[in-house]
Amino acid sequence: NHDLQVASVDPSDREAHSGTQSSHRLLAYSDALISIIATVMVRIQQSVQLLLTAKIAVYLMTFLIVSVAWAAHIRLFQVIVRIDDCLALLNLACMMLITFLPYTFSLMATFTDNVLGILLFCGCVMVIGVIQSLIVLYAFSRPFLLNEQIQISENQNYYKHHILQVIMRVPIMCFFLMVFSHFHFPLQSYVLLAIIIFLPYISQCLKWCRSKAIVEDTPDSMLFYTYLPNEPLSKERVEAFSDGVYAIVATLLILDICEDNVPDPTVVQKQFGGSLIAALQVYGPEYLAYFGSFATVGLLWFVHHSLFLHVTKTTRFMGLLNTFSLAFVGGLPLAYQLTHEFPRNSRNELEAIQISCVIIFFAGIFQLAIWVVALYNEQETLHPYVRYGGREHVFMLAKLALYPCVALGTFFLTCILSKFSAQIFHLMEITVPFAFLVLRILVRIGLALLRLIFCPDRPDPRTVVEEEGDETRVPFNALVT
Amino acid sequence: NHDLQVASVDPSDREAHSGTQSSHRLLAYSDALISIIATVMVRIQQSVQLLLTAKIAVYLMTFLIVSVAWAAHIRLFQVIVRIDDCLALLNLACMMLITFLPYTFSLMATFTDNVLGILLFCGCVMVIGVIQSLIVLYAFSRPFLLNEQIQISENQNYYKHHILQVIMRVPIMCFFLMVFSHFHFPLQSYVLLAIIIFLPYISQCLKWCRSKAIVEDTPDSMLFYTYLPNEPLSKERVEAFSDGVYAIVATLLILDICEDNVPDPTVVQKQFGGSLIAALQVYGPEYLAYFGSFATVGLLWFVHHSLFLHVTKTTRFMGLLNTFSLAFVGGLPLAYQLTHEFPRNSRNELEAIQISCVIIFFAGIFQLAIWVVALYNEQETLHPYVRYGGREHVFMLAKLALYPCVALGTFFLTCILSKFSAQIFHLMEITVPFAFLVLRILVRIGLALLRLIFCPDRPDPRTVVEEEGDETRVPFNALVT
């Protein structure tokens, strides 16, 4: 019976070693964990006694550091493509320490003149480095876990040493930092910390720019573990991480609603004579704001989704821009809270609304930047439909430009009509979804108008092709997937 | 240029309609949103002034209702397999209302004698029903979005009406409930609410049991929208939902650590003479507890992952058991909090630890139940390796049974040695990961011992096969994927 079942399997798969598993779900779980940890820092900052600017700085710093850890994780599992039980458990241990990083950051931010936070952080980073080295050593001792390129390569040992070197670089520097921070002032340690963590990126970016100016001679086979901006990054995992961030941001909003907007029964009894409806009417504008904010997050996700549907390959630089965009998206719950903390029509409320506009603007503009970067190398990174002259090119531009434009418009409008700032902002949040619904029509009208103005005589080749070719259209997913 | 690009696409894909997209990422995002909403209710209950039992009841109720909404969402998108922009936006609107459901529950739980919460809940359910009906109508007006079975079917209209009927059943009952709740006591409304939501499941389970007893005559083509326990459920989405729940539970733990365990700078100055290390030592056991709890959640995920790696088809009944298991996993942060609220060695601490054991036990036992249910129909639902007599059968059983056994053992041990309950519990949490590491060896030793005791003369056929077949082993992923 057992032999029969074995025989029924495709013989081409027989070579693969048993006991190994596809790493897909492990990576999805890791992505979910890391994205939540990166985003949830916005909430943690509430409890710690900090000024707003310090809050934002700590949040951004944590988000970036957790993102760096995530990028290292992607890089590692682009080399190790299959897992077994032992690797899964080692990865869980690694995740445990990554989720502990935000706590060390909280300590650093609360006790700026104490080195303990930085010591804990460095300790965590060092242990993470050791665990990742263990993962690499284990995987190279069972080569069937590695990706094919390395599996068939003859200098596996060279790859192993190169990867170990890259992985251990930051932990070893952290070790020296630990020793150093014992003798010096903590502030210098912070600056050093930032330099250590972002140094490989900066140096490699500079190297890359120089190599672009002179000659390019990196062999294609070493396109992992290089920190080069055009190093490929798993598109699936970038999407999973982004989904996690958008999902947790959307749900943090309702968490705020649930925590703050359920009135106390005794208050209802005393102040509103037991009428729950009257008590809830006080919160009326907040429900409106919730639906508006949720729609904003949802639509930013929608734009991201539309963009990545047409992206065929993600590079490290696009990943970096995506991280920046997500960092701003992660700030939305903070902005949402700010909008409610202050009395109506106060100076502070106006500023909170303008901060929200700025956050939305940057979240959108970085999405647009991803597309612009992708266009520079469009043959490799984009689907034909959205390249220059492609059928969806203008429509995609309109989709990506809608939020930055609207946010900018709202910002200036609130500067002029500062009295109605809240109304303008909520009106914007609620009308944008409808704008997305009719965007395709708006783009067509816009294009027709432009043609009418600039070249009214020539017949329009695009619309002719489009109407004729309606039946022979190609599904772009065929190429994307 | 445009024509050339069109020609380069595989012609077999040409038939598919343009403008449609694979629904994969939309569903992943929806899964993430719903899983977070379902789990995060544990935190919301903290702020609402409720007794512990009421907290747990409300949490479980919300978890189940959100899971029902999620199951309805799966069912809907098993019929609609491709999406376009319009469907994506309608789905976001639907998600927005689903995330609002927990708030209505908070209102219901805080104001038990007021009907407003129930009215809001019914209103939400009705609007969700209307949006889902719109989605169905839109998809049936563009049949290329539907799954193939319906696309080629001749009685599409029949399917449309059947699906609309199923979708609108609960909202219409909610409408009558709204009218009814105006004239009667709210408590009766709650009971009715529960009946309405779970009625289809109960009635169909009864029907299924009856049909098992008599004859089975359901045509295979109607195996969606039936509520039958053996109706297939997308395995991918069950996994995505589970990953979301495990990820948010693991991160809620660190959120608690960050909020409660960063000491106030002024307190450190006054009570500990500025020594941060001394201040942090107070929290010592909590760090240990954090790592223990994280390991528990991570390993429960690991067991779930191992199980679903060998499951080839998920049924509705298995999905229900999975939901129960996840509901207990979602309760872990609550148990974790309880363990710290009370002074050391108090009666309450003992009870909190025992509650934790019970939660871990049930989370594990429902995972085991999934496997047992799968074994009943193993030809369809399981990979050969884990069926009766399969190579991994005993190992899988050991993996699934480890947590229930350990939790039960710890429970009774804390009853006997109540003084050392905290130590026993933390020791258990920290030794279990190592037990998983050596589990395969333990299972082999156990089997060898059993054979030695019961049939010492016969040679062991299993180990012989295993050692000989080491090179020709089949990767089970080849079958699973």
Side-chain angles (χ1 to χ4, degrees):
Chain A
N1 186 30
H2 186 73
D3 280 351
L4 259 173
Q5 282 159 0
V6 168
S8 71
V9 176
D10 186 3
S12 71
D13 286 312
R14 287 237 189 139
E15 297 92 75
H17 211 88
S18 87
T20 70
Q21 309 149 8
S22 154
S23 60
H24 172 256
R25 228 190 121 188
L26 181 86
L27 301 182
Y29 182 61
S30 306
D31 290 343
L33 268 180
I34 301 177
S35 60
I36 295 173
I37 277 298
T39 321
V40 131
M41 278 306 288
V42 168
R43 283 189 73 76
I44 291 169
Q45 302 314 324
Q46 292 168 32
S47 61
V48 181
Q49 300 79 8
L50 290 174
L51 293 172
L52 183 61
T53 45
K55 266 188 191 180
I56 293 172
V58 171
Y59 161 67
L60 280 180
M61 195 69 189
T62 324
F63 195 96
L64 289 179
I65 290 215
V66 173
S67 298
V68 167
W70 171 73
H73 192 265
I74 291 193
R75 221 179 297 127
L76 187 61
F77 282 90
Q78 276 176 343
V79 172
I80 302 165
V81 290
R82 299 186 69 72
I83 57 161
D84 61 6
D85 282 7
C86 187
L87 277 187
L89 292 173
L90 279 174
N91 182 60
L92 280 180
C94 188
M95 281 299 126
M96 180 151 73
L97 286 158
I98 291 179
T99 58
F100 200 69
L101 286 182
Y103 179 66
T104 65
F105 251 88
S106 287
L107 279 183
M108 279 194 234
T110 322
F111 302 91
T112 38
D113 51 351
N114 198 312
V115 289
L116 189 68
I118 224 162
L119 289 183
L120 269 179
F121 176 83
C122 289
C124 265
V125 171
M126 279 161 59
V127 179
I128 292 172
V130 169
I131 294 177
Q132 290 196 338
S133 304
L134 277 180
I135 291 177
V136 170
L137 288 174
Y138 181 86
F140 270 88
S141 75
R142 281 137 212 256
F144 48 87
L145 296 171
L146 301 172
N147 79 16
E148 286 212 342
Q149 213 180 338
I150 296 185
Q151 233 180 91
I152 56 170
S153 153
E154 284 183 0
N155 36 6
Q156 263 186 25
N157 259 323
Y158 169 74
Y159 282 119
K160 186 165 88 177
H161 289 133
H162 174 69
I163 292 171
L164 281 179
Q165 229 174 25
V166 173
I167 285 179
M168 287 310 288
R169 199 187 295 158
V170 171
I172 285 170
M173 283 167 113
C174 274
F175 176 73
F176 287 115
L177 182 66
M178 267 175 96
V179 178
F180 175 82
S181 63
H182 265 294
F183 305 109
H184 286 76
F185 299 104
L187 194 69
Q188 293 179 351
S189 307
Y190 287 112
V191 177
L192 273 174
L193 189 66
I195 291 174
I196 282 179
I197 285 163
F198 297 107
L199 189 68
Y201 293 89
I202 298 161
S203 78
Q204 287 294 335
C205 274
L206 289 177
K207 233 186 245 176
W208 183 70
C209 293
R210 211 174 47 197
S211 77
K212 276 274 154 183
I214 316 168
V215 226
E216 208 171 317
D217 61 355
T218 324
D220 204 61
S221 64
M222 277 305 293
L223 217 58
F224 33 80
Y225 276 97
T226 57
Y227 290 95
L228 286 178
N230 60 345
E231 185 188 334
L233 211 64
S234 159
K235 186 194 162 209
E236 215 175 42
R237 294 198 60 188
V238 172
E239 286 181 357
F241 183 69
S242 311
D243 285 351
V245 171
Y246 283 108
I248 188 78
V249 167
T251 40
L252 280 183
L253 296 171
I254 194 67
L255 204 60
D256 286 329
I257 280 269
C258 284
E259 278 189 356
D260 306 335
N261 298 2
V262 176
D264 196 302
T266 53
V267 173
V268 172
Q269 203 59 45
K270 273 185 203 159
Q271 291 183 7
F272 299 96
S275 163
L276 184 57
I277 297 181
L280 288 183
Q281 267 165 2
V282 178
Y283 301 117
E286 306 198 11
Y287 302 126
L288 198 70
Y290 166 68
F291 286 116
S293 302
F294 190 97
T296 307
V297 176
L299 289 172
L300 281 171
W301 174 83
F302 174 69
V303 172
H304 191 273
H305 163 81
S306 304
L307 174 63
F308 273 77
L309 214 57
H310 293 86
V311 169
T312 48
K313 182 191 140 193
T314 331
T315 64
R316 177 163 296 277
F317 188 49
M318 283 158 74
L320 193 69
L321 290 173
N322 188 44
T323 304
F324 287 142
S325 171
L326 292 177
F328 282 102
V329 171
L332 273 177
L334 195 73
Y336 167 80
Q337 274 189 329
L338 285 178
T339 328
H340 299 287
E341 257 175 28
F342 305 112
R344 296 224 114 198
N345 288 325
S346 67
R347 177 98 207 121
N348 283 331
E349 195 206 36
L350 177 65
E351 275 170 8
I353 284 170
Q354 288 179 343
I355 288 175
S356 299
C357 287
V358 170
I359 287 178
I360 295 172
F361 173 76
F362 277 107
I365 211 81
F366 277 114
Q367 288 184 337
L368 189 60
I370 297 173
W371 193 52
V372 172
V373 168
L375 276 176
Y376 267 104
N377 203 357
E378 57 175 16
Q379 296 296 331
E380 263 186 51
T381 52
L382 282 183
H383 184 275
Y385 277 2
V386 290
R387 292 183 196 161
Y388 286 118
R391 200 162 57 79
E392 302 265 328
H393 180 78
V394 183
F395 183 54
M396 181 54 77
L397 179 68
K399 253 188 190 172
L400 286 165
L402 185 60
Y403 257 114
C405 291
V406 168
L408 210 64
T410 313
F411 183 82
F412 287 119
L413 217 60
T414 52
C415 287
I416 302 165
L417 301 165
S418 54
K419 245 192 157 176
F420 306 102
S421 57
Q423 286 88 331
I424 292 171
F425 184 68
H426 294 319
L427 195 72
M428 178 276 275
E429 281 189 319
I430 286 159
T431 50
V432 169
F434 299 102
F436 270 102
L437 273 178
V438 295
L439 193 61
R440 199 176 278 273
I441 301 159
L442 287 180
V443 169
R444 287 213 180 162
I445 294 169
L447 280 179
L449 278 178
L450 280 179
R451 253 175 243 121
L452 215 70
I453 295 164
F454 290 109
C455 39
D457 305 326
R458 248 190 289 167
D460 176 14
R462 284 173 55 90
T463 47
V464 174
V465 167
E466 225 163 45
E467 274 154 18
E468 274 180 358
D470 221 40
E471 293 307 299
T472 54
R473 281 178 182 178
V474 184
F476 48 74
N477 284 72
L479 276 185
V480 173
T481 53
Chain B
N1 187 29
H2 186 73
D3 280 352
L4 259 173
Q5 282 158 359
V6 167
S8 72
V9 177
D10 184 4
S12 71
D13 287 313
R14 289 237 188 137
E15 297 92 75
H17 212 87
S18 87
T20 70
Q21 309 149 8
S22 153
S23 59
H24 172 255
R25 229 191 121 188
L26 181 85
L27 300 182
Y29 182 61
S30 305
D31 290 342
L33 269 180
I34 300 178
S35 61
I36 296 172
I37 277 298
T39 321
V40 132
M41 277 306 288
V42 169
R43 281 189 74 73
I44 290 169
Q45 303 314 325
Q46 292 169 30
S47 62
V48 180
Q49 300 78 9
L50 288 174
L51 293 172
L52 182 63
T53 45
K55 266 188 191 181
I56 292 171
V58 171
Y59 160 67
L60 281 180
M61 195 69 189
T62 324
F63 196 96
L64 289 180
I65 289 213
V66 173
S67 297
V68 167
W70 170 72
H73 192 265
I74 291 193
R75 220 179 298 130
L76 186 61
F77 282 91
Q78 277 177 341
V79 171
I80 303 166
V81 290
R82 298 186 71 73
I83 57 160
D84 60 7
D85 282 8
C86 188
L87 277 187
L89 292 172
L90 279 174
N91 182 59
L92 280 180
C94 189
M95 281 300 126
M96 180 151 74
L97 286 159
I98 290 179
T99 59
F100 200 68
L101 286 182
Y103 180 66
T104 65
F105 251 88
S106 287
L107 280 183
M108 278 194 236
T110 323
F111 300 92
T112 38
D113 51 350
N114 198 312
V115 291
L116 189 69
I118 224 162
L119 288 185
L120 269 178
F121 176 82
C122 290
C124 266
V125 172
M126 279 162 59
V127 178
I128 292 171
V130 169
I131 294 176
Q132 289 197 338
S133 304
L134 276 178
I135 290 177
V136 170
L137 288 175
Y138 182 86
F140 271 88
S141 75
R142 282 139 211 256
F144 49 88
L145 297 171
L146 301 173
N147 79 14
E148 285 213 343
Q149 211 179 342
I150 297 186
Q151 233 180 91
I152 55 170
S153 152
E154 282 185 0
N155 34 7
Q156 263 186 26
N157 259 323
Y158 169 73
Y159 282 119
K160 184 165 88 176
H161 288 134
H162 174 69
I163 292 170
L164 281 178
Q165 231 174 24
V166 172
I167 285 179
M168 287 310 287
R169 200 189 293 158
V170 170
I172 286 170
M173 281 167 114
C174 274
F175 176 73
F176 287 115
L177 182 65
M178 267 174 93
V179 177
F180 174 82
S181 65
H182 264 295
F183 304 110
H184 287 74
F185 299 104
L187 192 70
Q188 292 179 351
S189 306
Y190 288 113
V191 177
L192 272 176
L193 189 66
I195 291 174
I196 283 178
I197 286 164
F198 297 108
L199 188 68
Y201 293 88
I202 299 161
S203 78
Q204 288 293 334
C205 275
L206 289 179
K207 232 186 244 176
W208 181 72
C209 294
R210 209 174 49 199
S211 77
K212 276 274 154 182
I214 315 169
V215 226
E216 209 172 315
D217 60 356
T218 323
D220 204 63
S221 62
M222 277 305 292
L223 218 58
F224 32 80
Y225 275 98
T226 56
Y227 290 93
L228 286 179
N230 60 344
E231 185 187 337
L233 210 64
S234 160
K235 185 193 163 210
E236 214 175 45
R237 294 198 60 189
V238 172
E239 287 181 357
F241 182 70
S242 310
D243 284 351
V245 170
Y246 283 108
I248 188 78
V249 168
T251 41
L252 280 182
L253 296 172
I254 194 68
L255 204 60
D256 285 329
I257 280 270
C258 284
E259 277 189 357
D260 306 335
N261 298 3
V262 176
D264 197 302
T266 53
V267 173
V268 172
Q269 203 58 46
K270 274 185 202 159
Q271 293 184 5
F272 299 96
S275 162
L276 185 56
I277 296 181
L280 288 183
Q281 267 166 2
V282 178
Y283 302 118
E286 307 199 8
Y287 301 126
L288 197 71
Y290 166 68
F291 286 117
S293 303
F294 190 96
T296 307
V297 176
L299 289 173
L300 282 171
W301 174 84
F302 174 70
V303 172
H304 190 273
H305 163 80
S306 305
L307 174 63
F308 274 77
L309 215 57
H310 293 86
V311 168
T312 47
K313 182 190 139 192
T314 330
T315 63
R316 175 164 297 278
F317 188 48
M318 282 156 76
L320 193 69
L321 290 174
N322 188 45
T323 304
F324 286 141
S325 170
L326 292 177
F328 282 102
V329 170
L332 274 177
L334 194 72
Y336 168 80
Q337 275 189 330
L338 285 178
T339 327
H340 300 287
E341 257 176 28
F342 305 112
R344 298 222 114 199
N345 289 326
S346 67
R347 176 101 207 118
N348 283 330
E349 196 206 35
L350 177 66
E351 274 170 9
I353 284 171
Q354 289 180 342
I355 289 176
S356 299
C357 288
V358 170
I359 287 178
I360 295 171
F361 173 75
F362 276 107
I365 211 81
F366 277 113
Q367 288 183 338
L368 188 61
I370 297 173
W371 193 52
V372 171
V373 168
L375 277 176
Y376 267 104
N377 202 359
E378 57 175 16
Q379 295 296 331
E380 263 185 53
T381 52
L382 281 183
H383 185 274
Y385 277 2
V386 290
R387 294 184 196 160
Y388 286 119
R391 201 163 56 79
E392 303 265 329
H393 180 79
V394 183
F395 183 53
M396 180 56 76
L397 179 67
K399 253 187 189 172
L400 286 165
L402 185 60
Y403 257 116
C405 290
V406 169
L408 210 63
T410 314
F411 182 83
F412 287 118
L413 218 59
T414 52
C415 288
I416 302 164
L417 302 165
S418 53
K419 245 193 158 175
F420 306 101
S421 57
Q423 285 88 330
I424 292 171
F425 185 68
H426 294 319
L427 194 73
M428 179 275 276
E429 281 189 320
I430 285 159
T431 49
V432 169
F434 299 103
F436 271 102
L437 273 178
V438 294
L439 193 60
R440 198 176 280 271
I441 301 159
L442 287 181
V443 168
R444 287 214 179 161
I445 295 169
L447 280 179
L449 278 178
L450 279 180
R451 254 176 243 119
L452 216 69
I453 296 165
F454 290 110
C455 39
D457 307 327
R458 245 189 294 166
D460 177 14
R462 284 172 55 92
T463 47
V464 174
V465 167
E466 225 162 43
E467 274 152 21
E468 274 180 359
D470 219 40
E471 293 308 298
T472 53
R473 281 179 183 177
V474 185
F476 48 73
N477 284 72
L479 275 183
V480 173
T481 51

